Amino acid sequence: MPISKEILSTVSETVEKGSRMRDYFSLLLPLWALLASILGYFFSPELTPFKNTLIPIIALIMFVMGLTITTQDLKTTFRKPQPLMIGVLLQFLLMPASAWLISTILGLPQEILIGMILVGSAPGGTSSNVLTYLAGGRVALSVSMTTVSTLASIILTPWITALYLQEVIHVDRSAMLISIAQMIIIPVLAGILIKARLPNLVSIALPILPKIAVLGIASAICLVVALNAGSVTSLGILVLCAVVLHNISGLAAGYALARAMGQDRITARTIAIEVGTQNSGMASALAVKHFSVLAAIPSALFSVIQNIIGTGLSGFWSSRPTSDQKAGNRLTNDS
């Protein structure tokens, strides 16, 4: 039965209100991540039995991401693929190399090294799209980079992980590939397909999708911290320093290299956020499934740190609009 204009009008108003609420809720993501970490630490015995729910949680987040991807935005971005390719290449070249270099300099234990490489080899995180929006960046480009890096991760993440860890531990690339397909690729493609086939239904659910994603990220952080509560105390400061350096290096080098490659400031900001924001939930799940719970510590800390630093950077950039953004604002005010 066709949907009436009145229902569509109501849905449109609901989506608009939900989008405003989403901004405030998403802005508090660092707080939810921090609270989730505290909860996981103090309630570790009660939460540890839920270890096997980590992969389904990540799959749910990826499904939500698929539901929010607009094919028109992707088409617009693919018409000018250079920024997209720069972002994806830096994602998989810069972040793994930075993780290995920092881990080597700090002399991190083997399990933590594995976790750092997994974070560095992961695709862009979904929170990068929110951070880009808050920074006044190119959201469509951010979504496209996250999507392409996510799809590419099914091959690149196992391969890069094995490349950096070949002298440390055996990496079963085939098993990792299957895991990534199960919790990342299939859910994302399913979300994209449902959005294409049932756009009206997805529009109704749109206001709550970001909240589901944020709660999913917080739940994953909570569970990973709970699984590593005993190790967090002894390794916390050293790993925290490594994770902070890793995140900042991705943001700084991502911006600098994008500018060096001729990208404008808005695009460079978008690329920087995308490069510095990793799918740490995926890295956590891979660590727990294929290596050890200890190897998931860097991922848990990275989830918290990247959102705190990313939100601060987004606020800083939003308060300093570029000349292009100022021109756009003048046109908006004149019209």
Side-chain angles (χ1 to χ4, degrees):
M1 184 176 67
I3 299 178
S4 67
K5 293 182 179 180
E6 291 78 6
I7 294 177
L8 288 176
S9 177
T10 303
V11 169
S12 178
E13 292 176 4
T14 303
V15 169
E16 184 178 354
K17 292 178 181 177
S19 297
R20 291 196 294 268
M21 292 178 64
R22 174 189 64 188
D23 297 340
Y24 295 116
F25 192 80
S26 300
L27 187 61
L28 292 174
L29 179 57
L31 175 61
W32 308 140
L34 183 60
L35 291 176
S37 300
I38 295 172
L39 185 67
Y41 182 81
F42 286 103
F43 291 90
S44 175
E46 291 80 8
L47 294 170
T48 300
F50 295 95
K51 170 184 176 180
N52 293 331
T53 64
L54 184 58
I55 289 181
I57 289 173
I58 303 304
L60 175 62
I61 297 171
M62 292 297 101
F63 176 68
V64 169
M65 173 186 165
L67 289 175
T68 60
I69 293 174
T70 304
T71 54
Q72 184 57 45
D73 285 342
L74 297 180
K75 289 178 182 178
T76 301
T77 301
F78 279 114
R79 291 193 188 104
K80 296 181 178 179
Q82 187 183 36
L84 172 66
M85 298 309 298
I86 290 174
V88 173
L89 285 174
L90 289 178
Q91 183 88 57
F92 288 111
L93 291 175
L94 179 63
M95 292 305 282
S98 175
W100 182 85
L101 183 62
I102 291 169
S103 300
T104 301
I105 292 174
L106 295 180
L108 297 180
Q110 177 177 305
E111 297 299 317
I112 302 301
L113 168 64
I114 293 171
M116 289 287 292
I117 295 298
L118 283 172
V119 172
S121 304
T126 55
S127 59
S128 65
N129 309 146
V130 177
L131 295 174
T132 298
Y133 170 76
L134 296 174
R138 305 192 189 284
V139 179
L141 174 61
S142 176
V143 171
S144 299
M145 286 190 292
T146 303
T147 304
V148 172
S149 67
T150 298
L151 295 174
S153 69
I154 190 171
I155 301 297
L156 293 181
T157 296
W159 184 79
I160 293 173
T161 302
L163 177 66
Y164 279 93
L165 297 177
Q166 59 185 339
E167 296 183 3
V168 177
I169 193 173
H170 171 69
V171 178
D172 190 338
R173 285 179 288 184
S174 298
M176 284 185 64
L177 187 150
I178 293 172
S179 295
I180 294 171
Q182 290 174 339
M183 67 180 172
I184 304 292
I185 305 303
I186 293 176
V188 168
L189 294 179
I192 294 174
L193 179 62
I194 290 176
K195 183 176 179 63
R197 295 293 181 86
L198 302 170
N200 293 330
L201 182 61
V202 174
S203 296
I204 294 173
L206 194 61
I208 66 170
L209 293 182
K211 299 175 180 62
I212 294 175
V214 168
L215 291 174
I217 293 170
S219 299
I221 294 171
C222 180
L223 188 55
V224 170
V225 171
L227 294 172
N228 293 281
S231 303
V232 167
T233 304
S234 59
L235 295 171
I237 299 300
L238 183 62
V239 182
L240 179 62
C241 291
V243 167
V244 170
L245 288 173
H246 192 199
N247 182 230
I248 291 177
S249 68
L251 294 168
Y255 181 84
L257 290 173
R259 289 289 288 156
M261 294 179 185
Q263 301 303 305
D264 61 65
R265 286 186 174 85
I266 302 178
T267 302
R269 291 176 179 182
T270 304
I271 291 174
I273 291 173
E274 187 67 27
V275 172
T277 307
Q278 301 296 90
N279 190 334
S280 50
M282 168 183 158
S284 297
L286 290 175
V288 172
K289 184 175 178 62
H290 298 285
F291 298 98
S292 67
V293 292
L294 186 59
I297 290 181
S299 306
L301 289 175
F302 202 95
S303 295
V304 180
I305 294 302
Q306 71 178 358
N307 287 302
I308 293 175
I309 295 178
T311 301
L313 181 61
S314 296
F316 175 79
W317 272 338
S318 67
S319 66
R320 287 165 174 75
T322 66
S323 56
D324 289 343
Q325 289 171 319
K326 290 177 181 177
N329 290 336
R330 286 197 296 270
L331 288 174
T332 301
N333 292 333
D334 293 340
S335 59

